[in-house]
Amino acid sequence: MFKKASICVLSILLVLSSYSLYQPVNRQSIANASSGNEDQRYFMYGAGDTQDMNLYQGLVDQAISYGMNSFRVWFSWSSFQNADGTFDWTLMDAQLDYINNKNMPFALSLYFAMGPDGGLPEAERVRDASGGLTPYLSINSASAMDKMVEAYEEVISRYTARYPTNKPIFVSALFGMYGENEISGGGNGLMGDYSAASKQAFRAWLLDRYDNVSNLNTHWGTQYASFAQVEPPTDFNGNRGLTWYQFRHFSLKSAIDRLADANHAIGGTKFPLVMGSMFDDPASKRGTLDFVDLAEKADIVFVDDGPEYNHAFSMDLLRTNLPGKELAHEFDGPDLANDATYYHQASTAFEHGAKYVTNGNWNKNLQKFIDRGQLFEDIVDDYLGDPVTDIDNPSQSMSVSDYDMLLNRSSAAYQRYYDALYLNSPQPMNVHLIRDINRLDWHKTNNDDPGLSPQGNWTEQRVDGPFQGDDLATDQAGASVEFTFNGDRIEWIGSQGPDHGKADVYIDGVLEASGVDLYAGQKQYQQVLFSKTNLTDGEHTIEIVATGQKNVLSSHAFVNLDALSYRFTEFPAPPKIYRLSSQFSDTQGENGWFYRYHDGNGYANMTWNAGRWQGPNPYLFIESTTHMMPDGYDVVPVWQAPESGTIRIKGNVKKDDMAGASCPGCADGIQVKIMKNGAQIWPATGWQQLADDDLIGVWHDFTVNVAQNDLIYFVMNQKANNYWDGSSWDPSISYAAPVYRLSAQYSNVQGQDGWRYQYDNGNGPVDMTWVNNRWQGPASVDYSFVESSAHLMAETYDLLTNWEAPFDGTVRIAGTAKMDDDGGSGCYGCGDGIRVKIMKNGTQIWPSSGWQSIQAVDLVGVDHDIDVQVQQGDRIYFVVNQNANFYFDGASWDPTIEYK
């Protein structure tokens, strides 16, 4: 009820093209054909919620004439319980007797959110984030819960006894503001409860989870002196926001479980979990992303998605993850969609496994119900004569992550992937839910985490199936990726497919799994490819190495990294993430964000008006969803760097509106760019163009160094006109701990990523020359070079591979210097080895003095791992000396430099 949903054009068109072809048959015989059968489908009319008995009886009679075979009767709490706590059953008895006398099955939906007659006391009601009082029941109020459960039990007891041969099919207890089992709220749109009861419950839950406030401060990056100071956040950003979501889920499940237990203790009817949308931004706000946990004690699971949502995706997601549960689907009121759209919704629900389909909000106007009779008759004709669809072993499947949904606040990418599979085979499929959100002691890190160290040729892929919409892939034998974590369990998440190969997995340098085979006949994203449990508490390193080998059935040898999940034993500190949507504020500069426009002379602040930032022209604005629009002037969200460092700027800019068939050729799209202070940083030059119909958009993902108070401008320009220019841009900015590794950043350009390739001619450093795909020393010698693999050789002149610090800080310099050539069987040990050292500018920093010798036959080498303070512009030199001669001096030195 009152849905906000996205559009799935494909799945609608697949059904609408044939809607008018169905011919009506004998509806009453169909409706009664399998009465009492466990596989019976129910097309329920949503009746009640009205005091007008004449209207009610007219609606019931009309529904029966259409062949609908059951009723879902609504009653608000105030209609049957008085302010003094006594019960008045007059209306319920009359309306239910009317249906029972017609021998029609029925169910009850009880709307508890607004309280009994006279409402609820203030202490039992939800407050919004600004402290505003709402009329809605707080599930964190013990006394409010007691009252609701008592009233619920009274209704079940009365009507299972009153109608012993026609007991209610189910009795729902709907405490959410929109008539579902969800979090209520108001004001800020978050649907969160900020009442005193909720805050008290949140603090008690935090104490139980964190044990002490020090652990909480570490995890949240806060400085609370006690749990009593903690205030609930107003977003889901970072560790703090995730914790808030987890508490909301805990509260919601506690309320649902208590009602289910009350229902089952009395018996005679079923308990339904009712949700208002399925895996979209409202579901994040409503707290229902991990619906599997919420539905643990439910007998039936309802979803009432908006008319144009992807109902095939929605129902497949429910059915796949709730085996043994009965499924139900509701379509909304007469003014929200036409007959073809509602027929598609009902038919899709039945075809994908629903036992119950019901309508909602059709109970106020008999004439509209009569006018739309063909819709109801056609659903009866085409679906009530068949049993519940038996869907056994679908040929296609995919996976979705609830944590990914929470982070992105949209399932559009998953739905695009679903549609691509559905177009290939328009049949129900399995949509597996990866339940990350409520793994309280687990941390899931994406493949772009700055702590990952990839070696070799890895390619980033942006596709619709993986966690966070991207992954890394390689087919290079020996390419590897390392990640160090503190915990006792680790999982490697990635894809399987018909072109995938094999990989070895090491934990702390020990081979744990050899030849992990990633082949599968169908592409499958977000699979657990490897897991290791029972590690000792503490720091561990996982390394994944592509072998270049493959299954005989595979067409290639690709190895994939999507994400890593590990169970932590110490609370990790929060990442520094600044995201426009989650930190949107009515205050300029809060969380570093400013809301501006460019007036032709410079940047000016917008004005807060009616819940959004508004410029001087009517369509120049920025909204909390990051929907924005240029109008005459450029619209420009701006972020200010709180400290110096390297930042990663990642995001997607896309059109939200398009002219389409309504005005072909009218709109010309938009163009965008990103500036740092006065310099453009993306794209390299000019503007990034977006066509009028580009609803998928363009990604940006790059790093840049910033000084404290630098400004990053996200500039959107209307081009020639601003027709249908409504767009979204939700950039995410995080501070990275940049990692510089010679082999990974090797380049044919001196100075790129800070690396220079030099030798010492006796008077100081001299740049090498790029020859035959490697850096080459002076022409007078043959064996002075540095290659992309970090294989190198110093003949006569010392090699001075070096790196320039981009900013101040402490860096960790780690690596191994080793021989690659020991002379072999023909001349084993003939050489005299090499000598190495590390310098910062003109000062030696490793070893403490003299040279570190590497013996001629030392193919293992010598490790170094040191920390050193650097200032911007300092140079770190990795010096290699031939010793007395350069015979068999081929060596490797691949240092890694990481800011701490």
Side-chain angles (χ1 to χ4, degrees):
M1 301 162 72
F2 308 109
K3 317 296 180 306
K4 175 183 177 184
S6 56
I7 298 174
C8 174
V9 176
L10 170 66
S11 55
I12 293 175
L13 293 179
L14 288 171
V15 175
L16 298 195
S17 61
S18 58
Y19 171 69
S20 61
L21 302 179
Y22 293 106
Q23 299 299 317
V25 291
N26 189 325
R27 288 179 295 281
Q28 195 62 49
S29 63
I30 288 177
N32 296 328
S34 54
S35 180
N37 190 326
E38 280 298 315
D39 292 329
Q40 167 73 49
R41 283 174 171 163
Y42 289 91
F43 186 23
M44 296 183 140
Y45 180 74
D49 198 27
T50 177
Q51 305 282 333
D52 185 340
M53 280 298 294
N54 289 328
L55 172 61
Y56 172 81
Q57 292 173 3
L59 291 166
V60 169
D61 292 346
Q62 194 67 40
I64 293 173
S65 75
Y66 292 151
M68 301 180 75
N69 63 351
S70 53
F71 290 85
R72 182 188 184 199
V73 192
W74 284 75
F75 295 100
S76 61
W77 194 354
S78 60
S79 71
F80 62 89
Q81 187 167 18
N82 301 317
D84 62 3
T86 59
F87 292 95
D88 181 351
W89 305 109
T90 305
L91 181 67
M92 292 183 75
D93 285 353
Q95 293 191 354
L96 295 180
D97 284 350
Y98 189 79
I99 292 174
N100 184 66
N101 290 337
K102 294 180 179 291
N103 199 32
M104 294 296 293
F106 70 92
L108 289 172
S109 288
L110 308 177
Y111 181 61
F112 284 109
M114 304 280 281
D117 188 39
L120 293 161
E122 289 189 6
E124 296 177 355
R125 287 152 60 184
V126 167
R127 288 187 180 271
D128 64 28
S130 64
L133 185 65
T134 76
Y136 309 119
L137 179 147
S138 170
I139 57 175
N140 290 304
S141 166
S143 55
M145 283 296 301
D146 289 344
K147 292 176 183 177
M148 176 172 61
V149 172
E150 179 188 3
Y152 183 57
E153 291 171 334
E154 289 286 341
V155 171
I156 295 173
S157 297
R158 180 176 183 82
Y159 293 107
T160 54
R162 187 176 181 87
Y163 310 115
T165 61
N166 188 25
K167 297 179 188 295
I169 300 171
F170 60 79
V171 180
S172 57
L174 309 173
F175 49 74
M177 60 193 290
Y178 294 143
E180 286 113 9
N181 298 121
E182 301 169 339
I183 299 292
S184 293
N188 68 334
L190 182 62
M191 298 172 72
D193 182 2
Y194 298 85
S195 65
S198 179
K199 290 181 180 181
Q200 182 179 357
F202 183 45
R203 291 162 185 157
W205 183 84
L206 291 175
L207 174 61
D208 183 65
R209 181 180 181 190
Y210 288 103
D211 189 52
N212 60 69
V213 77
S214 177
N215 286 335
L216 178 140
N217 285 331
T218 297
H219 199 213
W220 286 17
T222 50
Q223 296 181 334
Y224 291 115
S226 69
F227 286 104
Q229 295 179 343
V230 176
E231 291 293 325
T234 56
D235 56 55
F236 303 132
N237 193 42
N239 292 345
R240 189 166 177 252
L242 175 60
T243 306
W244 173 233
Y245 185 93
Q246 290 164 339
F247 164 73
R248 294 162 80 248
H249 176 93
F250 166 80
S251 299
L252 190 56
K253 179 170 170 55
S254 298
I256 292 168
D257 283 356
R258 185 175 175 191
L259 289 163
D261 289 342
N263 178 300
H264 295 148
I266 297 170
T269 187
K270 296 175 181 177
F271 177 77
L273 168 67
V274 183
M275 297 181 292
S277 61
M278 198 71 229
F279 225 64
D280 57 5
D281 183 36
S284 301
K285 297 173 181 177
R286 290 163 164 157
T288 57
L289 294 179
D290 186 3
F291 59 87
V292 177
D293 191 44
L294 296 179
E296 180 184 7
K297 295 185 177 183
D299 306 297
I300 304 170
V301 178
F302 256 96
V303 63
D304 50 344
D305 288 322
E308 295 182 328
Y309 193 75
N310 190 332
H311 307 297
F313 170 81
S314 171
M315 291 304 300
D316 283 352
L317 181 60
L318 282 178
R319 189 201 69 256
T320 304
N321 298 282
L322 298 171
K325 306 287 187 185
E326 294 180 347
L327 304 182
H329 198 98
E330 176 186 312
F331 63 85
D332 218 318
D335 299 326
L336 296 183
N338 61 23
D339 286 2
T341 300
Y342 278 144
Y343 180 88
H344 160 70
Q345 184 170 355
S347 62
T348 301
F350 276 133
E351 290 168 5
H352 287 253
K355 182 178 178 69
Y356 309 91
V357 170
T358 181
N359 63 316
N361 298 317
W362 287 73
N363 53 358
K364 302 298 183 185
N365 189 306
L366 177 59
Q367 189 58 51
K368 287 183 179 181
F369 189 34
I370 294 172
D371 291 344
R372 303 284 286 276
Q374 189 66 50
L375 165 66
F376 293 88
E377 290 179 351
D378 286 353
I379 296 171
V380 168
D381 295 344
D382 300 330
Y383 289 98
L384 288 195
D386 296 322
V388 175
T389 305
D390 183 16
I391 301 169
D392 187 28
N393 296 321
S395 61
Q396 299 191 108
S397 66
M398 61 177 288
S399 298
V400 300
S401 163
D402 57 7
Y403 184 41
D404 195 8
M405 179 65 235
L406 183 67
L407 292 173
N408 289 330
R409 308 291 287 278
S410 170
S411 60
Y414 286 136
Q415 293 185 49
R416 285 195 301 267
Y417 184 59
Y418 180 95
D419 284 346
L421 294 175
Y422 199 75
L423 184 62
N424 177 59
S425 177
Q427 301 293 330
M429 70 184 80
N430 284 336
V431 182
H432 300 282
L433 178 66
I434 300 171
R435 299 169 57 201
D436 290 320
I437 284 180
N438 288 307
R439 299 175 84 187
L440 296 186
D441 296 331
W442 286 76
H443 179 74
K444 190 167 189 175
T445 184
N446 197 34
N447 61 78
D448 56 4
D449 190 290
L452 269 78
S453 300
Q455 303 299 314
N457 298 324
W458 292 85
T459 302
E460 183 180 35
Q461 305 175 117
R462 292 202 177 280
V463 287
D464 288 334
F467 180 72
Q468 291 288 282
D470 58 16
D471 58 18
L472 298 177
T474 185
D475 61 353
Q476 180 188 29
S480 65
V481 63
E482 286 187 358
F483 180 71
T484 299
F485 63 98
N486 273 287
D488 63 2
R489 299 182 184 183
I490 184 77
E491 296 174 346
W492 164 26
I493 313 297
S495 65
Q496 297 173 303
D499 60 353
H500 285 38
K502 298 181 178 182
D504 295 336
V505 182
Y506 296 82
I507 301 290
D508 300 330
V510 177
L511 180 64
E512 288 286 344
S514 178
V516 177
D517 191 353
L518 309 187
Y519 171 78
Q522 178 197 336
K523 186 83 168 187
Q524 294 286 341
Y525 291 104
Q526 299 196 57
Q527 303 299 298
V528 177
L529 305 177
F530 166 85
S531 63
K532 176 67 176 177
T533 61
N534 300 320
L535 294 169
T536 58
D537 291 353
E539 184 175 279
H540 300 280
T541 298
I542 184 172
E543 182 182 19
I544 302 163
V545 183
T547 65
Q549 304 298 308
K550 67 183 184 67
N551 188 301
V552 294
L553 298 176
S554 182
S555 63
H556 218 82
F558 283 109
V559 170
N560 171 281
L561 172 65
D562 185 355
L564 292 165
S565 287
Y566 64 92
R567 193 174 79 168
F568 54 80
T569 52
E570 295 181 1
F571 288 101
K576 295 179 180 177
I577 299 175
Y578 302 86
R579 188 168 182 175
L580 180 58
S581 61
S582 58
Q583 297 174 318
F584 188 86
S585 168
D586 60 2
T587 303
Q588 291 278 4
E590 188 168 341
N591 297 310
W593 288 103
F594 296 85
Y595 311 87
R596 295 177 175 169
Y597 64 96
H598 195 282
D599 63 5
N601 298 310
Y603 297 99
N605 282 345
M606 291 178 155
T607 302
W608 182 257
N609 183 38
R612 71 181 188 183
W613 288 102
Q614 184 71 50
N617 297 332
Y619 296 105
L620 182 64
F621 60 79
I622 304 173
E623 297 181 342
S624 62
T625 59
T626 73
H627 179 68
M628 62 185 73
M629 193 168 172
D631 183 7
Y633 302 132
D634 295 346
V635 59
V636 191
V638 182
W639 178 80
Q640 185 174 41
E643 58 185 278
S644 299
T646 297
I647 60 171
R648 181 180 186 184
I649 305 175
K650 181 178 180 180
N652 173 254
V653 55
K654 65 182 180 68
K655 291 294 302 305
D656 289 339
D657 306 323
M658 64 177 182
S662 62
C663 191
C666 293
D668 60 356
I670 60 169
Q671 54 189 8
V672 296
K673 62 183 176 182
I674 303 176
M675 310 283 290
K676 186 182 85 170
N677 301 326
Q680 183 167 329
I681 55 177
W682 179 84
T685 59
W687 293 87
Q688 174 64 54
Q689 304 293 321
L690 279 86
D692 166 54
D693 61 351
D694 191 351
L695 304 183
I696 294 177
V698 177
W699 279 89
H700 55 80
D701 189 354
F702 60 92
T703 59
V704 64
N705 293 327
V706 293
Q708 187 177 24
N709 296 324
D710 276 352
L711 296 174
I712 305 296
Y713 298 87
F714 299 89
V715 186
M716 182 181 292
N717 176 271
Q718 70 174 26
K719 299 177 72 173
N721 64 60
N722 74 329
Y723 304 153
W724 286 276
D725 272 359
S727 303
S728 289
W729 198 353
D730 190 16
S732 175
I733 301 171
S734 59
Y735 278 85
V739 178
Y740 302 88
R741 187 162 186 169
L742 179 58
S743 63
Q745 296 164 325
Y746 186 86
S747 166
N748 62 357
V749 178
Q750 290 281 7
Q752 187 161 316
D753 295 310
W755 291 102
R756 299 195 75 86
Y757 312 86
Q758 298 179 319
Y759 66 94
D760 187 345
N761 68 357
N763 297 312
V766 178
D767 282 351
M768 299 177 111
T769 305
W770 185 256
V771 179
N772 295 327
N773 293 317
R774 72 180 185 183
W775 289 103
Q776 189 73 42
S780 59
V781 298
D782 295 325
Y783 297 104
S784 175
F785 60 80
V786 181
E787 296 181 343
S788 62
S789 63
H791 178 68
L792 47 82
M793 198 165 173
E795 179 186 355
T796 307
Y797 303 102
D798 292 351
L799 288 184
L800 301 177
T801 308
N802 61 86
W803 171 82
E804 181 178 10
F807 50 84
D808 300 352
T810 300
V811 294
R812 178 186 181 187
I813 306 172
T816 303
K818 67 182 183 68
M819 303 302 298
D820 287 341
D821 189 356
D822 61 6
S825 59
C827 197
Y828 181 76
C830 293
D832 62 352
I834 61 173
R835 302 187 300 174
V836 297
K837 62 182 175 182
I838 304 175
M839 309 283 291
K840 186 182 85 169
N841 302 325
T843 303
Q844 183 167 329
I845 55 177
W846 179 85
S848 58
S849 62
W851 292 89
Q852 174 64 56
S853 294
I854 311 294
Q855 300 302 311
V857 296
D858 188 355
L859 303 184
V860 175
V862 177
D863 297 335
H864 59 83
D865 191 347
I866 58 174
D867 292 344
V868 62
Q869 295 282 334
V870 294
Q871 294 182 330
Q872 184 179 9
D874 280 350
R875 287 204 164 273
I876 305 296
Y877 293 89
F878 300 90
V879 187
V880 180
N881 176 271
Q882 71 171 19
N883 223 335
N885 63 62
F886 65 95
Y887 305 149
F888 302 100
D889 272 1
S892 290
W893 197 359
D894 190 16
T896 297
I897 303 171
E898 180 179 2
Y899 276 88
K900 303 187 70 173

